[in-house]
Coordinates of all heavy atoms in Angstrom, one line a residue:
Chain A
H51 N 3.2 21.6 1.2 CA 2.4 22.0 2.3 C 1.2 21.0 2.5 O 0.9 20.7 3.7 CB 1.8 23.4 2.1 CG 2.9 24.4 2.0 ND1 2.8 25.6 1.2 CD2 4.1 24.5 2.6 CE1 3.8 26.3 1.4 NE2 4.7 25.7 2.2
L56 N 0.1 20.8 6.4 CA 0.1 22.2 6.9 C -1.0 22.9 6.2 O -1.4 24.0 6.6 CB 1.4 22.9 6.5 CG 2.7 22.5 7.3 CD1 3.9 23.0 6.6 CD2 2.6 23.0 8.7
D57 N -1.6 22.3 5.2 CA -2.6 23.0 4.4 C -3.6 21.9 3.9 O -3.2 20.7 3.9 CB -2.0 23.7 3.2 CG -2.8 24.8 2.7 OD1 -4.0 25.0 3.2 OD2 -2.4 25.6 1.8
D77 N -6.5 20.1 14.8 CA -5.7 19.4 15.9 C -5.3 18.0 15.4 O -4.2 17.6 15.8 CB -6.6 19.3 17.1 CG -6.7 20.6 17.9 OD1 -6.1 21.6 17.4 OD2 -7.4 20.7 18.9
A80 N -2.3 18.5 13.4 CA -1.2 18.8 14.2 C -0.5 17.5 14.8 O 0.7 17.3 14.8 CB -1.6 19.7 15.3
R83 N 1.3 15.8 12.0 CA 2.6 16.5 11.7 C 3.6 16.1 12.8 O 4.8 16.0 12.6 CB 2.4 18.0 11.8 CG 1.6 18.5 10.6 CD 1.9 20.0 10.5 NE 1.4 20.8 11.6 CZ 0.2 21.3 11.6 NH1 -0.7 21.2 10.6 NH2 -0.2 22.0 12.7
N84 N 3.1 15.9 14.0 CA 4.0 15.6 15.1 C 4.6 14.2 15.1 O 5.8 14.0 15.3 CB 3.3 15.8 16.5 CG 4.1 15.7 17.7 OD1 4.0 14.7 18.4 ND2 5.1 16.6 17.8
F89 N 9.9 17.5 9.5 CA 10.1 18.6 8.5 C 11.6 19.0 8.6 O 12.1 19.1 9.6 CB 9.2 19.8 8.9 CG 7.8 19.6 8.5 CD1 6.9 19.2 9.4 CD2 7.4 19.9 7.2 CE1 5.5 19.1 9.1 CE2 6.0 19.8 6.9 CZ 5.1 19.4 7.8
F91 N 13.7 22.3 6.8 CA 13.4 23.5 6.0 C 14.7 24.0 5.5 O 15.8 23.8 6.0 CB 12.8 24.6 6.9 CG 11.5 24.1 7.6 CD1 11.5 23.7 8.9 CD2 10.3 24.2 6.9 CE1 10.4 23.3 9.5 CE2 9.2 23.8 7.5 CZ 9.2 23.3 8.8
N95 N 15.3 26.8 10.7 CA 14.2 27.1 11.7 C 14.5 26.5 13.0 O 13.7 25.9 13.6 CB 12.9 26.6 11.2 CG 12.2 27.7 10.3 OD1 12.3 28.9 10.6 ND2 11.7 27.3 9.2
L97 N 15.3 27.3 17.0 CA 15.0 28.4 18.0 C 16.4 28.9 18.4 O 17.3 28.2 18.8 CB 14.3 27.8 19.2 CG 12.9 27.3 19.0 CD1 12.2 27.1 20.3 CD2 12.0 28.2 18.1
S98 N 16.5 30.2 18.3 CA 17.7 30.9 18.7 C 17.8 30.9 20.2 O 16.8 30.7 20.9 CB 17.8 32.3 18.1 OG 16.7 33.0 18.6
R99 N 19.0 31.1 20.7 CA 19.3 31.1 22.1 C 18.7 29.8 22.8 O 18.2 29.9 23.9 CB 18.7 32.4 22.8 CG 19.7 33.5 22.6 CD 19.1 34.8 23.1 NE 18.4 35.5 22.0 CZ 17.9 36.7 22.1 NH1 18.0 37.4 23.2 NH2 17.2 37.2 21.1
T100 N 18.7 28.7 22.1 CA 18.2 27.5 22.6 C 19.2 26.4 22.1 O 19.6 26.4 21.0 CB 16.8 27.2 22.0 OG1 16.0 28.3 22.3 CG2 16.2 25.9 22.6
D104 N 17.9 21.1 23.2 CA 16.5 21.6 23.5 C 15.7 21.7 22.1 O 14.5 21.5 22.1 CB 16.5 23.0 24.2 CG 16.8 22.8 25.7 OD1 16.7 21.7 26.2 OD2 17.1 23.9 26.3
L108 N 12.2 19.6 21.0 CA 11.0 20.3 20.9 C 9.7 19.5 20.5 O 8.7 19.6 21.1 CB 11.2 21.5 19.9 CG 10.4 22.7 20.1 CD1 10.5 23.3 21.5 CD2 10.8 23.8 19.1
L111 N 7.7 17.7 23.2 CA 6.9 18.4 24.1 C 5.4 18.4 23.6 O 4.5 18.6 24.4 CB 7.4 19.9 24.2 CG 8.8 20.1 24.6 CD1 9.1 21.6 24.8 CD2 9.0 19.4 26.0
Y112 N 5.2 18.2 22.3 CA 3.9 18.2 21.8 C 3.3 16.8 21.6 O 2.4 16.6 20.9 CB 3.8 19.0 20.5 CG 4.2 20.5 20.8 CD1 5.5 20.9 20.3 CD2 3.4 21.3 21.5 CE1 5.8 22.2 20.5 CE2 3.8 22.6 21.7 CZ 5.0 23.1 21.2 OH 5.4 24.4 21.5
S116 N 5.7 15.7 27.8 CA 5.8 16.3 29.1 C 5.6 15.2 30.2 O 6.0 15.3 31.3 CB 4.7 17.3 29.2 OG 3.5 16.8 28.7
R123 N 13.8 12.1 27.6 CA 13.8 13.0 26.5 C 15.2 13.3 26.1 O 15.5 13.3 24.9 CB 13.1 14.3 27.0 CG 11.6 14.3 26.9 CD 11.1 15.8 26.7 NE 11.7 16.7 27.7 CZ 11.2 16.8 28.9 NH1 10.2 16.1 29.4 NH2 11.8 17.7 29.8
R159 N 16.0 16.9 14.8 CA 14.7 17.3 15.3 C 13.6 16.6 14.5 O 12.6 16.1 15.1 CB 14.5 18.8 15.2 CG 13.2 19.3 15.8 CD 13.1 20.8 15.7 NE 13.1 21.2 14.3 CZ 13.3 22.4 13.8 NH1 13.6 23.4 14.7 NH2 13.4 22.7 12.6
V258 N 19.5 33.0 11.0 CA 18.1 32.9 10.6 C 18.1 33.5 9.1 O 17.9 34.6 8.9 CB 17.2 33.8 11.5 CG1 15.8 33.7 11.0 CG2 17.3 33.4 12.9
P259 N 18.3 32.6 8.2 CA 18.3 33.1 6.8 C 16.9 33.5 6.4 O 15.9 33.0 7.0 CB 18.8 31.9 6.0 CG 19.3 30.9 7.1 CD 18.6 31.2 8.3
H262 N 12.7 30.4 3.4 CA 12.6 29.0 3.8 C 11.8 28.2 2.9 O 12.3 27.2 2.3 CB 12.1 28.9 5.2 CG 11.8 30.2 5.8 ND1 12.8 31.0 6.3 CD2 10.7 30.9 5.9 CE1 12.3 32.1 6.7 NE2 11.0 32.1 6.5
G264 N 10.0 29.1 0.3 CA 9.8 29.6 -1.1 C 8.4 30.2 -1.2 O 7.6 30.2 -0.3
V266 N 4.5 31.0 -2.8 CA 3.4 30.1 -3.1 C 3.5 29.7 -4.5 O 3.6 30.5 -5.4 CB 2.1 30.9 -2.9 CG1 0.9 30.1 -3.3 CG2 1.9 31.4 -1.5
Chain B
M1 N 0.0 18.9 26.2 CA 1.2 19.4 26.9 C 0.8 19.8 28.3 O -0.3 20.5 28.5 CB 1.8 20.6 26.2 CG 3.2 20.8 26.6 SD 4.1 21.8 25.4 CE 3.2 23.2 25.2
S2 N 1.5 19.4 29.3 CA 1.1 19.7 30.7 C 1.3 21.2 31.0 O 2.1 21.8 30.4 CB 1.8 18.8 31.7 OG 3.2 19.3 31.8
M5 N 4.9 22.0 32.0 CA 5.8 22.1 30.9 C 5.6 23.4 30.2 O 6.5 24.1 29.8 CB 5.5 20.9 29.9 CG 6.5 20.8 28.7 SD 8.2 20.6 29.3 CE 8.1 18.9 29.8
R8 N 7.4 25.9 32.1 CA 8.9 25.9 31.8 C 9.2 26.5 30.5 O 10.2 27.2 30.4 CB 9.3 24.4 31.9 CG 9.5 24.0 33.4 CD 9.9 22.5 33.5 NE 11.1 22.2 32.7 CZ 11.6 21.0 32.6 NH1 10.9 20.0 33.2 NH2 12.7 20.7 32.0
I9 N 8.4 26.2 29.5 CA 8.7 26.8 28.1 C 8.5 28.3 28.2 O 9.4 29.0 27.7 CB 7.7 26.2 27.1 CG1 8.0 24.7 26.8 CG2 7.7 27.0 25.8 CD1 7.1 24.1 25.9
K12 N 11.5 29.7 29.9 CA 12.7 29.7 29.0 C 12.6 30.9 28.0 O 13.6 31.6 27.8 CB 12.7 28.4 28.3 CG 13.6 27.3 29.0 CD 13.7 26.1 28.1 CE 14.3 25.0 28.9 NZ 14.3 23.7 28.2
R16 N 15.1 34.2 27.7 CA 15.8 34.5 26.5 C 15.9 36.0 26.2 O 16.8 36.5 25.5 CB 15.2 33.8 25.3 CG 15.8 32.5 24.9 CD 15.2 31.9 23.7 NE 14.6 30.6 24.0 CZ 13.5 30.2 23.5 NH1 12.8 30.9 22.7 NH2 13.0 29.0 23.8
R310 N 8.1 33.2 13.2 CA 8.7 32.0 12.6 C 8.8 30.8 13.7 O 8.6 29.7 13.3 CB 10.1 32.3 12.0 CG 9.9 33.0 10.7 CD 11.2 33.2 10.1 NE 12.0 32.0 9.9 CZ 13.3 32.0 9.7 NH1 13.9 33.1 9.5 NH2 13.9 30.8 9.5
E311 N 9.1 31.3 14.9 CA 9.1 30.2 16.0 C 7.7 29.6 16.1 O 7.6 28.4 16.2 CB 9.5 30.9 17.3 CG 9.4 29.9 18.5 CD 9.5 30.6 19.8 OE1 10.2 31.6 19.9 OE2 8.9 30.1 20.8
L314 N 7.1 27.3 13.2 CA 7.9 26.0 13.4 C 7.2 25.2 14.4 O 7.0 24.0 14.2 CB 9.3 26.3 13.9 CG 10.0 25.0 14.3 CD1 10.5 24.4 13.0 CD2 11.1 25.3 15.3
R315 N 6.7 25.8 15.6 CA 6.1 25.0 16.6 C 4.8 24.3 16.0 O 4.5 23.1 16.3 CB 5.7 25.8 17.8 CG 6.9 26.2 18.7 CD 6.5 27.0 19.9 NE 7.7 27.5 20.6 CZ 8.3 26.8 21.6 NH1 7.9 25.6 21.9 NH2 9.3 27.3 22.2
L316 N 4.1 25.1 15.2 CA 2.9 24.5 14.6 C 3.2 23.4 13.6 O 2.6 22.4 13.6 CB 2.1 25.6 13.9 CG 1.4 26.7 14.8 CD1 0.9 27.8 13.9 CD2 0.3 26.1 15.6
A317 N 4.3 23.6 12.9 CA 4.7 22.6 11.9 C 5.1 21.3 12.5 O 4.9 20.2 12.0 CB 5.9 23.1 11.0
I318 N 5.8 21.4 13.7 CA 6.2 20.1 14.3 C 5.2 19.5 15.3 O 5.5 18.6 16.0 CB 7.6 20.3 15.0 CG1 7.4 21.3 16.2 CG2 8.7 20.7 14.1 CD1 8.6 21.4 17.1
G319 N 4.0 20.1 15.2 CA 2.9 19.3 15.9 C 2.2 20.1 17.0 O 1.4 19.5 17.7
A320 N 2.6 21.4 17.3 CA 1.9 22.1 18.3 C 0.5 22.4 17.8 O 0.3 22.8 16.7 CB 2.6 23.4 18.6
R321 N -0.5 22.2 18.7 CA -1.8 22.6 18.3 C -2.0 24.1 18.6 O -1.2 24.7 19.4 CB -2.9 21.8 19.1 CG -2.9 20.3 18.7 CD -3.6 19.5 19.8 NE -2.8 19.7 21.0 CZ -3.3 19.2 22.2 NH1 -4.4 18.5 22.2 NH2 -2.6 19.3 23.3
G322 N -3.1 24.7 18.1 CA -3.3 26.1 18.3 C -3.4 26.4 19.8 O -2.8 27.4 20.3
D324 N -1.9 24.9 22.2 CA -0.6 24.8 22.8 C 0.1 26.2 22.7 O 0.7 26.7 23.7 CB 0.3 23.8 22.2 CG -0.2 22.4 22.4 OD1 -0.8 22.1 23.5 OD2 0.0 21.5 21.5
Q328 N 0.9 28.9 25.6 CA 2.3 29.3 25.9 C 2.4 30.8 26.0 O 3.0 31.3 27.0 CB 3.2 28.8 24.7 CG 4.7 29.2 24.9 CD 5.5 29.0 23.7 OE1 5.2 28.2 22.8 NE2 6.6 29.8 23.6
P397 N 0.4 28.3 9.8 CA 1.8 27.8 9.9 C 2.6 28.1 8.6 O 3.8 28.4 8.8 CB 1.6 26.3 10.1 CG 0.2 26.0 9.9 CD -0.6 27.2 10.1
I398 N 2.0 28.0 7.4 CA 2.8 28.3 6.2 C 3.2 29.7 6.2 O 4.4 30.0 6.0 CB 1.9 27.9 5.0 CG1 1.5 26.5 5.0 CG2 2.7 28.2 3.7 CD1 0.4 26.1 4.0
L401 N 5.9 30.4 8.9 CA 7.2 29.9 8.5 C 7.9 30.7 7.5 O 9.1 30.8 7.5 CB 7.1 28.4 8.0 CG 7.0 27.3 9.1 CD1 6.6 26.0 8.4 CD2 8.2 27.2 9.8
R402 N 7.1 31.3 6.7 CA 7.6 32.1 5.6 C 7.9 33.6 6.0 O 8.6 34.3 5.3 CB 6.6 32.1 4.4 CG 7.1 32.6 3.1 CD 6.0 32.5 2.1 NE 5.6 31.2 1.8 CZ 4.3 30.9 1.5 NH1 3.4 31.8 1.5 NH2 4.0 29.6 1.2
Y403 N 7.4 33.9 7.2 CA 7.5 35.3 7.7 C 9.0 35.8 7.9 O 9.8 35.0 8.3 CB 6.8 35.4 9.1 CG 6.7 36.8 9.6 CD1 5.7 37.7 9.2 CD2 7.7 37.3 10.5 CE1 5.7 39.0 9.7 CE2 7.6 38.6 11.0 CZ 6.6 39.4 10.6 OH 6.6 40.7 11.1
E404 N 9.2 37.0 7.4 CA 10.6 37.5 7.6 C 10.6 38.7 8.6 O 9.7 39.5 8.5 CB 11.1 38.0 6.3 CG 11.5 36.8 5.4 CD 11.7 37.2 3.9 OE1 11.9 38.4 3.7 OE2 11.5 36.3 3.1

Side-chain angles (χ1 to χ4, degrees):
Chain A
H51 296 149
L56 289 165
D57 205 352
D77 283 1
R83 290 200 293 269
N84 184 247
F89 284 97
F91 305 98
N95 276 318
L97 296 191
S98 58
R99 277 173 272 188
T100 304
D104 281 348
L108 208 55
L111 303 182
Y112 300 107
S116 45
R123 276 205 311 276
R159 182 180 60 197
V258 183
H262 358 283
V266 178
Chain B
M1 201 159 51
S2 77
M5 187 60 74
R8 279 177 56 185
I9 290 178
K12 270 185 188 172
R16 261 182 241 142
R310 285 186 53 197
E311 176 193 327
L314 173 81
R315 285 180 188 274
L316 290 169
I318 62 171
R321 290 162 302 174
D324 291 330
Q328 182 191 335
I398 300 165
L401 279 168
R402 197 181 289 148
Y403 184 83
E404 284 165 26

